[in-house]
Amino acid sequence: RKRVVSGVQPTGSIHLGNYLGAIKNWVALQDTYETLFFIVDLHAITLPYDTQELRKATRDTAALYLACGVDISKASVFVQSHVLAHVELMWLLSSSTPIGWLQKMTQFKEKSRKEGGENASVSLLTYPVLMASDILLYQSDFVPVGEDQKQHLELARDLAQRVNNLYGGRKWKKLGGRGGSIFKIPEPLIPQVGARVMSLTDGLSKLSCKGFTLLRLASLNVVPIAIMSKSAPSDQSRINLLDSKDLIAGKIKRCKTDSLAGLEFDNAERPECNNLLSVYQIVSGKTKEEVMEECKDMSWGTFKPLLADAVIEHLSPIQLRYQEITAESEYLDKVLSEGADRATEIAEVTVHNLKQAMGFCPRN
Ligand code: TYM
């Protein structure tokens, strides 16, 4: 069976972007593929973080996976730091990763700038190598993520190719290996709708002071609007999966819109409109055509309560399951422990193969 892996960082609270861009799609894949979903705690320490929060956030994230419908009779769920091979493979891959590949990553540039450039941690730079390890360790075929992770996926693919060329094939065979490729080349799975859920409040602010970026994006026909993010300072900019009904209704009521009458998809001048209609489309389970027909003559005043109700109705059962799961902590411990065992089995084979191909002396 083809294999699918993905993960979310246990930082801040999981929001509608994480859910619509990633987790919801994982659930759809678990029937068809062998799936492994992890909580990437090692990635969460690349920026300054609260040691008192990490453990709880890690468990809460795992509980939310299950609440969203990840089914442990089909998928393995585990904590990244419980499977040591992630870190081991990362070191091995680091030696084949040109620094230049990492320095040009958009997320590194943005996040390191916020950390004051030179003060950013080394791990922020090498973050994509750890992410490549997460994926390549399991010989993954597909990686369901939101659009913001596409560049990291491309790096993982390039790195896999590079290591296959450097150490695979005949050279590996001479060292006693099976020859051929060491890593499978993974494909990103980015959903058609929901891959880029936008901030509810930010509008164009994120890029307004950087003429150069704005220009470049404009020429690529990309609408410069901030995506919904855990790290945005205002909680009003995102809908968290565990927000109360009132909070959700309030955030949607106050969210940024425009002053045009009637609602429409795909108008580049109306990014907020496209975003909110897309969210409505997914949470209501309707088709794009149905939403278009239903909303084409609506005012924002009519649409906003409709959207709020649809989001609340979609999230209510998830919130209920979350309460049940977190009420029973031993259950989660068991899930994570079994998940880590399964993952370790697969991961050890890959690390063994790569170490053999790289010429390490085996322990006898
Ligand atoms: P993270 O924790 O930032 O986000 C988790 C997932 O949510 C998606 N996402 C969004 N999708 C649509 N709209 C948004 N506004 C939005 N915001 C976030 C992300 O694309 C992601 O799929 N580096 C990764 C975690 C990671 C990983 C991996 C993923 C580590 N190793 C291996 C896949 C495979 C990250 O920080 O995601």
Side-chain angles (χ1 to χ4, degrees):
R1 265 203 308 169
K2 299 228 172 190
R3 201 173 278 153
V4 168
V5 304
S6 197
V8 173
Q9 290 193 58
T11 44
S13 38
I14 307 285
H15 53 70
L16 207 56
N18 301 131
Y19 174 67
L20 300 180
I23 304 174
K24 185 168 185 291
N25 308 311
W26 303 355
V27 176
L29 294 163
Q30 64 189 355
D31 291 328
T32 316
Y33 301 107
E34 178 180 1
T35 44
L36 297 116
F37 301 120
F38 32 73
I39 298 98
V40 292
D41 54 348
L42 295 167
H43 279 104
I45 64 168
T46 56
L47 288 172
Y49 71 100
D50 185 344
T51 53
Q52 305 302 308
E53 291 287 325
L54 182 63
R55 187 183 303 183
K56 181 171 174 349
T58 302
R59 297 178 62 85
D60 287 352
T61 305
L64 264 177
Y65 286 6
L66 304 185
C68 288
V70 170
D71 178 348
I72 53 135
S73 70
K74 300 171 189 155
S76 302
V77 174
F78 64 97
V79 177
Q80 183 191 33
S81 69
H82 293 177
V83 180
L84 304 181
H86 288 252
V87 179
E88 186 172 12
L89 181 61
M90 184 205 169
W91 181 256
L92 300 174
L93 292 179
S94 296
S95 68
S96 300
T97 313
I99 294 178
W101 286 13
L102 300 176
Q103 285 167 332
K104 70 168 199 217
M105 290 288 115
T106 312
Q107 289 206 353
F108 170 69
K109 286 197 272 190
E110 273 173 19
K111 289 183 181 172
S112 62
R113 184 164 7 89
K114 280 196 202 144
E115 293 302 300
E118 298 271 293
N119 281 327
S121 69
V122 171
S123 65
L124 195 64
L125 179 66
T126 53
Y127 178 116
V129 188
L130 181 58
M131 181 160 162
S133 307
D134 299 340
I135 297 165
L136 303 181
L137 205 44
Y138 302 103
Q139 305 293 345
S140 313
D141 296 278
F142 302 115
V143 186
V145 285
E147 203 173 276
D148 64 305
Q149 295 300 319
K150 200 169 155 209
Q151 199 184 29
H152 289 154
L153 249 302
E154 276 158 16
L155 185 131
R157 287 167 58 88
D158 291 346
L159 195 47
Q161 200 83 63
R162 190 175 165 95
V163 170
N164 284 345
N165 290 339
L166 279 171
Y167 302 110
R170 262 184 292 131
K171 278 179 279 179
W172 181 21
K173 212 164 191 167
K174 273 205 221 154
L175 289 164
R178 76 167 143 72
S181 298
I182 299 164
F183 294 123
K184 210 172 234 183
I185 313 294
E187 300 267 358
L189 277 188
I190 297 175
Q192 272 185 332
V193 195
R196 235 180 120 76
V197 178
M198 300 301 182
S199 156
L200 296 181
T201 53
D202 249 9
L204 305 176
S205 68
K206 208 172 177 188
L207 294 163
S208 58
C209 56
K210 287 185 284 145
F212 177 72
T213 317
L214 202 60
L215 212 99
R216 196 170 58 81
L217 284 172
S219 69
L220 283 174
N221 242 341
V222 175
V223 181
I225 179 173
I227 71 165
M228 190 176 279
S229 127
K230 293 178 205 146
S231 59
S234 168
D235 192 60
Q236 292 294 319
S237 69
R238 59 185 162 257
I239 291 171
N240 304 305
L241 292 197
L242 298 176
D243 279 351
S244 70
K245 294 185 169 91
D246 289 348
L247 200 51
I248 295 173
K251 284 176 177 176
I252 292 180
K253 193 168 175 193
R254 281 186 294 277
C255 80
K256 189 168 176 285
T257 53
D258 53 32
S259 51
L260 301 175
L263 305 180
E264 56 187 330
F265 280 102
D266 304 323
N267 180 342
E269 317 247 289
R270 304 185 71 189
E272 292 87 3
C273 189
N274 191 63
N275 183 45
L276 296 173
L277 284 180
S278 302
V279 170
Y280 179 62
Q281 183 192 327
I282 312 180
V283 295
S284 68
K286 294 180 179 165
T287 64
K288 188 172 178 178
E289 289 66 34
E290 285 168 340
V291 172
M292 244 165 9
E293 191 50 39
E294 183 183 3
C295 304
K296 65 179 185 319
D297 299 322
M298 272 187 195
S299 66
W300 287 114
T302 319
F303 177 69
K304 280 183 168 184
L306 184 73
L307 173 63
D309 285 347
V311 171
I312 291 166
E313 198 179 316
H314 192 96
L315 295 185
S316 289
I318 294 177
Q319 297 184 350
L320 212 69
R321 277 201 298 273
Y322 173 83
Q323 302 305 343
E324 288 167 11
I325 294 161
T326 46
E328 205 192 324
S329 76
E330 283 131 50
Y331 172 68
L332 201 59
D333 289 336
K334 185 166 161 279
V335 168
L336 295 176
S337 160
E338 285 172 6
D341 286 345
R342 170 75 190 123
T344 302
E345 269 173 39
I346 307 172
E348 279 176 347
V349 177
T350 301
V351 170
H352 170 269
N353 285 346
L354 180 61
K355 285 174 90 173
Q356 182 181 48
M358 287 178 76
F360 284 94
C361 170
R363 176 178 163 174
N364 289 315

